[in-house]
Amino acid sequence: MTLVILTGGIDLSVGSILALSGAIMAGLLKRGTELEALNLYIGYGAPAAIVVGLLVGASLGWFNGLMVTRFRVPPFIATLAMLTIARGLTKLYTGGEAITGLGQVFVSIGSGRLLGIPNQFWIAAGIVLVAVVLLRKTRFGRYVYAVGGNEEAATLSGLNVARVKRSVYVIAGTLAAVGGLIVTSRLNSATPIAGEGMELDSIAAVVIGGTSLSGGRGSVAGTVLGALIIGVLNSGLVIMGVDPFWQQVIKGCVILVAVVIDRLNYKE
Amino acid sequence: MSEHDEVVLAAQGITKRFGGVKALDEAHLEVRAGQVTAVMGENGAGKSTLMKVLAGVYQDYEGRILRNGREAVFANPRQAQEHGVTIIHQELNLIPNLSVAENLFLGREFLDGLGLIDFRRMRREAAALLQRLDLDVDPRTRISTLRVGQQQILEIARALALHARVIIMDEPTSAISEREVDVLFGLIDSLRREGVAIVYISHKMDEVFRIADRITIMRDGRTVGSAPRAALSHDGVVRMMVGRDLKDFFVQTPTARGSEVLRVQEICLPHPDRVGDFLVKDISFSVARGEVLGLFGLMGAGRSELFETIFGLHARTASGQVFLEGREVRLSSCAEAIAAGLALVPEDRKRQGLMMDMSVAASISLASLAQVERFGFLSDRRERALAGDFGQRLRIRAVSHRQPVKHLSGGNQQKVVLAKWLATRPRVLLLDEPTRGIDVNAKNQIYRLIHELATAGLAIVVVSSELPEIIALAHRIIVLSEGRQTAEFSRAQATEESILKAALPRSLSSSRPPSSSGAATR
Ligand SMILES: Nc1ncnc2c1ncn2[C@@H]1O[C@H](COP(=O)(O)OP(=O)(O)OP(=O)(O)O)[C@@H](O)[C@H]1O
Ligand SMILES: [Mg+2]
């Protein structure tokens, strides 16, 4: 999400893509693919199901990117449409029911531990590391900042602006699918409402982390901090037994305060 | 109304810091009614910063501002406007998606009886203002479709609409043509007669000596001198600006003309809206190794569009052929043009040249990132070396290579754009107004640099709307008017008169001789 916002875009569809790819992984594991016409049944092991799920996430992201670049649909609209589409597909695919009982191998990914630390953490840390290096140390990362900073100047500098934009949506889609993998395997079930509201949390994390919504300025480190703040808030308020309705109000206020502080600093 | 020659606005002991950097160090300035006070100084001397303090843009400064002898504190630009002080910033500040009329009256829209915007009246008033400025555009036109020069004139129209008593103009002529300069100067004259005080910042010595009553000179954030124009000479001003004698002014040397590097044939670019009309029509020319070709034309002559077309930006609509070292190339994107060895320093640095949030080093390396890679990753060390190298050659004044370019002074931003393109090590350099906003000293260095590059074997095409610049730089001059090529001169044949004559649009030169202007006769 940080990458998308750095280019001056936004991706509202990550929560839905998370749900759909999670559901597809679960569905393939449970039911396989039946092609009645060919009288063919394909069963899936965990690795194959995961790969297909990630591919689904990537292609939906690619589709977002295509809409934004080729057809010049504003990112907000394109991904808002995808939010609904992917959510609808998830419900169709699952028939509105949770898919549970996914097998030992698959479940161990989300709930297992390595060196006593949950796998989830390793996966997240790995992704953060790759993202930091990508943004700070590669040409692609520099181009992401450049496109968000000034598209016309980026074009004149010989950048393929459309390709950079498409890439960030593909990355966002794929990572949403990774999220789907983690959530589904940890809960040992894929529910059609997984990841609802997730897009807002992730945008909030990016913004709290100091990334500018108009693009060109921000960092992954900031987003990690933002995500931690959101995470601590989400669980902290529950643990403290705060009224769930108040939780939302408090979360909103924290977002505002963080962004205002950032603005004041930035003006200096 | 204030008496003529009375000090209506004064800055006393103004110090302004950005973080640890002192941009202004006890600077002072006096502005008199009915006079033009010119402010001169090198890039980064603090001129724009002082003006922003005077216009209420910055509030955290030390020192005092006196308006009509009484201390004034402006909490924001609007309060300064209410005190009659208006600034026209160095970088244009119009809203691209709004119309000319909407921009002119932004924040002070006329309302009708129902509290809705009275567009009819706005358009009428806008049209009157535009006529006064001799600007031929419809008030309903969207800003984004206007050229820079027209936008600059609009900024001035906006100050007039505010009925300002003190107008600060920060390099108003850096983007406009000679004809528009004459219009502007006529206007300044009449404002002066009405007792309006004008602060005029410019790097163009001849302009300053033509229009100013007093000249104030700044260096390193300090005011180092101020005197009536008559008491100062060109050399004297330069000496105060630089702090020492400036020696060896640039003189052109004929270079050995080598083999042809770039040839373009019958380049055409249709007008995006008007069918059958062309922005660029049948332009053909060639440049050789070691040659500096000048392209002269007034605003709207199609010079920038010609460059953009050659650079592959309009591949879908344009036609024509481009040959590099004798072989035809199809350049369908800027990336291909860069790979082929072309570089384009664009006209409008804010819109087309820079990402304002990027650091100096990142901006310089952007178009040649492959050079600073090691094992597929960007190397900080190499990037610093690249930026340091070009920063030094162009004498870019920045606190560090990590400073965002938006914190640089205008002239230094221009140098960053130049550095970015030189870093791509091009064979052909297309320069669109390369010295816009650059001070005399640095300009001199850039002229010399251009010739060094030519001597080193580059083929260079320079677009400029400054006649003296074209004549100083180019070995050969091609004149464009309304998208067509109207004349070609060798260095020896070229005179200011003959070039200007060829540059005037036909519609204009026949029906309306530019009598309002001194340009053609000077
Ligand atoms: N917002 C800012 N943050 C940090 N430094 C700044 C900022 N604005 C200006 N500066 C610094 O203050 C100094 C003076 O800048 P200023 O823009 O006033 O120069 P100038 O005289 O107008 O130059 P030019 O002729 O190039 O326009 C420069 O060194 C510049 O880097
Ligand atoms: Mg300035």
Side-chain angles (χ1 to χ4, degrees):
Chain A
M1 180 63 82
T2 308
L3 263 65
V4 175
I5 292 181
L6 275 176
T7 65
I10 196 149
D11 191 346
L12 296 174
S13 63
V14 288
S16 300
I17 292 183
L18 178 148
L20 181 59
S21 52
I24 285 178
M25 290 179 206
L28 291 179
L29 275 174
K30 274 293 265 213
R31 306 191 287 216
T33 307
E34 279 177 73
L35 295 173
E36 275 169 39
L38 296 175
N39 201 5
L40 197 68
Y41 173 84
I42 309 170
Y44 288 79
I50 291 170
V51 168
V52 173
L54 294 181
L55 280 178
V56 167
S59 16
L60 295 183
W62 177 82
F63 187 82
N64 278 337
L66 188 74
M67 287 297 128
V68 171
T69 56
R70 176 70 58 81
F71 302 106
R72 309 203 171 271
V73 182
F76 191 92
I77 309 293
T79 58
L80 182 63
M82 181 57 73
L83 176 146
T84 326
I85 295 170
R87 183 65 63 192
L89 288 176
T90 312
K91 289 181 181 158
L92 281 175
Y93 186 78
T94 57
E97 311 263 310
I99 305 174
T100 50
L102 303 175
Q104 186 51 44
V105 182
F106 188 75
V107 170
S108 69
I109 295 173
S111 44
R113 283 166 181 269
L114 188 67
L115 305 176
I117 296 171
N119 285 346
Q120 281 179 62
F121 172 83
W122 293 113
I123 295 174
I127 290 171
V128 166
L129 195 73
V130 170
V132 167
V133 172
L134 194 69
L135 270 182
R136 302 189 47 149
K137 283 284 163 195
T138 69
R139 245 192 274 184
F140 173 74
R142 197 54 74 69
Y143 290 169
V144 167
Y145 281 101
V147 167
N150 184 343
E151 234 180 279
E152 194 171 343
T155 309
L156 276 171
S157 300
L159 276 59
N160 188 335
V161 172
R163 190 160 68 200
V164 172
K165 284 190 176 173
R166 271 199 305 274
S167 309
V168 296
Y169 286 99
V170 171
I171 293 174
T174 311
L175 291 183
V178 172
L181 163 65
I182 294 177
V183 170
T184 311
S185 85
R186 193 181 46 166
L187 300 178
N188 192 10
S189 111
T191 73
I193 56 156
E196 253 177 14
M198 193 83 99
E199 55 285 330
L200 296 183
D201 273 354
S202 79
I203 292 170
V206 173
V207 171
I208 290 179
T211 296
S212 152
L213 275 180
S214 52
R217 190 170 56 89
S219 69
V220 171
T223 302
V224 171
L225 194 68
L228 286 178
I229 292 176
I230 293 277
V232 168
L233 267 181
N234 278 349
S235 45
L237 292 175
V238 174
I239 293 167
M240 277 155 44
V242 177
D243 179 337
F245 298 156
W246 273 110
Q247 286 179 20
Q248 294 188 356
V249 176
I250 293 171
K251 211 158 94 183
C253 293
V254 169
I255 295 173
L256 277 180
V257 168
V259 176
V260 168
I261 291 174
D262 176 58
R263 282 280 124 185
L264 292 178
N265 274 334
Y266 184 61
K267 241 181 124 184
E268 236 330 281
Chain B
M1 196 184 193
S2 40
E3 297 279 307
H4 274 222
D5 304 341
E6 193 178 301
V7 176
V8 286
L9 184 68
Q12 296 180 340
I14 305 280
T15 298
K16 162 84 188 143
R17 290 188 182 81
F18 291 106
V21 189
K22 247 190 199 171
L24 290 176
D25 187 2
E26 310 228 333
H28 57 91
L29 178 70
E30 286 185 346
V31 184
R32 292 180 162 79
Q35 288 200 1
V36 175
T37 308
V39 178
M40 299 198 73
E42 286 189 290
N43 294 132
K47 304 179 296 292
S48 300
T49 306
L50 180 59
M51 297 311 133
K52 286 182 189 162
V53 168
L54 284 175
V57 180
Y58 297 136
Q59 293 85 37
D60 51 336
Y61 57 87
E62 294 152 40
R64 303 199 304 161
I65 297 175
L66 303 181
R67 172 84 175 104
N68 286 330
R70 271 205 306 275
E71 178 156 7
V73 179
F74 304 138
N76 53 45
R78 198 174 172 111
Q79 274 190 15
Q81 281 168 14
E82 281 157 12
H83 281 80
V85 181
T86 309
I87 184 166
I88 300 165
H89 286 287
Q90 183 168 6
E91 310 293 340
L92 298 168
N93 279 299
L94 298 165
I95 300 180
N97 288 324
L98 294 184
S99 73
V100 167
E102 285 165 323
N103 264 283
L104 284 179
F105 298 105
L106 195 66
R108 294 164 308 107
E109 290 79 5
F110 298 117
L111 302 181
D112 61 17
L114 294 172
L116 301 176
I117 294 181
D118 186 350
F119 280 106
R120 194 107 50 82
R121 171 148 179 238
M122 251 166 57
R123 245 175 261 144
R124 214 172 41 236
E125 303 248 347
L129 266 174
L130 295 175
Q131 200 179 3
R132 192 167 158 205
L133 289 164
D134 206 3
L135 187 63
D136 184 22
V137 299
D138 189 307
R140 280 167 300 189
T141 323
R142 282 202 331 174
I143 296 292
S144 54
T145 63
L146 298 179
R147 304 279 329 159
V148 190
Q150 296 173 312
Q151 295 189 20
Q152 184 74 58
I153 298 265
L154 273 186
E155 290 270 12
I156 295 162
R158 188 151 74 171
L160 290 183
L162 283 164
H163 305 294
R165 299 302 300 164
V166 179
I167 303 182
I168 300 171
M169 304 185 181
D170 196 349
E171 301 194 35
T173 59
S174 60
I176 67 182
S177 68
E178 300 249 333
R179 206 176 80 82
E180 289 163 329
V181 170
D182 291 321
V183 173
L184 172 67
F185 279 14
L187 200 82
I188 290 180
D189 242 343
S190 67
L191 288 170
R192 170 156 62 185
R193 273 196 300 277
E194 290 164 25
V196 174
I198 309 238
V199 182
Y200 188 90
I201 298 181
S202 174
H203 291 295
K204 297 180 186 169
M205 202 62 90
D206 48 344
E207 272 180 10
V208 166
F209 274 84
R210 195 168 134 204
I211 195 82
D213 298 293
R214 280 187 85 79
I215 303 177
T216 296
I217 294 124
M218 297 187 64
R219 183 172 75 230
D220 297 333
R222 273 182 277 253
T223 308
V224 292
S226 183
R229 174 193 53 184
L232 290 166
S233 67
H234 282 218
D235 291 349
V237 171
V238 173
R239 206 174 308 124
M240 279 199 261
M241 277 170 56
V242 185
R244 61 187 155 79
D245 271 321
L246 197 61
K247 43 185 189 323
D248 29 282
F249 258 101
F250 167 76
V251 205
Q252 189 188 119
T253 46
T255 42
R257 190 164 187 266
S259 55
E260 173 190 288
V261 181
L262 172 74
R263 178 154 50 93
V264 302
Q265 275 178 358
E266 285 160 21
I267 301 276
C268 293
L269 180 66
H271 195 286
D273 306 322
R274 295 201 296 267
V275 182
D277 205 352
F278 287 86
L279 289 171
V280 177
K281 179 81 177 148
D282 290 336
I283 303 283
S284 308
F285 65 79
S286 75
V287 227
R289 190 181 296 280
E291 187 182 31
V292 181
L293 172 69
L295 284 181
F296 182 80
L298 303 176
M299 289 290 149
R303 308 159 310 175
S304 304
E305 289 81 0
L306 172 63
F307 270 6
E308 288 171 6
T309 307
I310 297 173
F311 205 58
L313 196 63
H314 304 296
R316 230 173 297 160
T317 49
S319 63
Q321 293 166 292
V322 178
F323 297 86
L324 270 171
E325 284 166 0
R327 276 215 322 270
E328 178 163 10
V329 286
R330 294 217 58 80
L331 304 177
S332 53
S333 73
C334 300
E336 285 175 29
I338 295 168
L342 262 57
L344 169 65
V345 175
E347 175 183 19
D348 183 343
R349 59 174 167 260
K350 188 173 173 187
R351 216 183 68 203
Q352 306 173 301
L354 293 169
M355 290 76 190
M356 285 294 160
D357 282 316
M358 267 200 176
S359 71
V360 172
S363 305
I364 292 178
S365 63
L366 184 63
S368 47
L369 278 180
Q371 266 187 56
V372 299
E373 272 179 343
R374 275 191 80 192
F375 315 119
F377 292 103
L378 301 179
S379 147
D380 265 353
R381 205 163 46 82
R382 291 196 178 188
E383 185 164 55
R384 257 203 321 275
L386 184 81
D389 180 18
F390 284 97
Q392 214 154 47
R393 274 167 76 182
L394 296 171
R395 300 221 314 169
I396 295 173
R397 193 143 147 184
V399 177
S400 85
H401 61 273
R402 306 180 65 160
Q403 194 178 17
V405 287
K406 70 173 162 211
H407 289 168
L408 296 188
S409 78
N412 282 305
Q413 290 176 0
Q414 181 70 19
K415 292 184 193 174
V416 170
V417 182
L418 257 161
K420 165 164 109 183
W421 288 107
L422 290 181
T424 64
R425 310 202 185 282
R427 284 188 287 175
V428 181
L429 197 52
L430 307 174
L431 301 170
D432 198 349
E433 305 280 2
T435 63
R436 211 168 106 186
I438 286 188
D439 70 55
V440 255
N441 192 19
K443 209 172 204 169
N444 215 23
Q445 281 158 3
I446 286 177
Y447 290 171
R448 200 166 301 126
L449 181 76
I450 290 176
H451 268 258
E452 271 168 31
L453 292 168
T455 312
L458 260 74
I460 299 175
V461 189
V462 185
V463 156
S464 175
S465 44
E466 276 183 67
L467 265 178
E469 174 162 296
I470 277 279
I471 291 177
L473 270 178
H475 296 126
R476 203 153 51 88
I477 298 165
I478 288 176
V479 183
L480 303 185
S481 174
E482 296 178 310
R484 282 160 223 269
Q485 186 169 337
T486 51
E488 176 171 345
F489 300 95
S490 73
R491 171 78 181 80
Q493 298 165 329
T495 61
E496 297 206 2
E497 288 79 26
S498 54
I499 296 176
L500 253 177
K501 193 152 161 260
L504 285 176
R506 263 164 308 169
S507 51
L508 202 84
S509 54
S510 54
S511 67
R512 184 161 50 139
S515 57
S516 64
S517 69
T521 50
R522 212 169 1 113

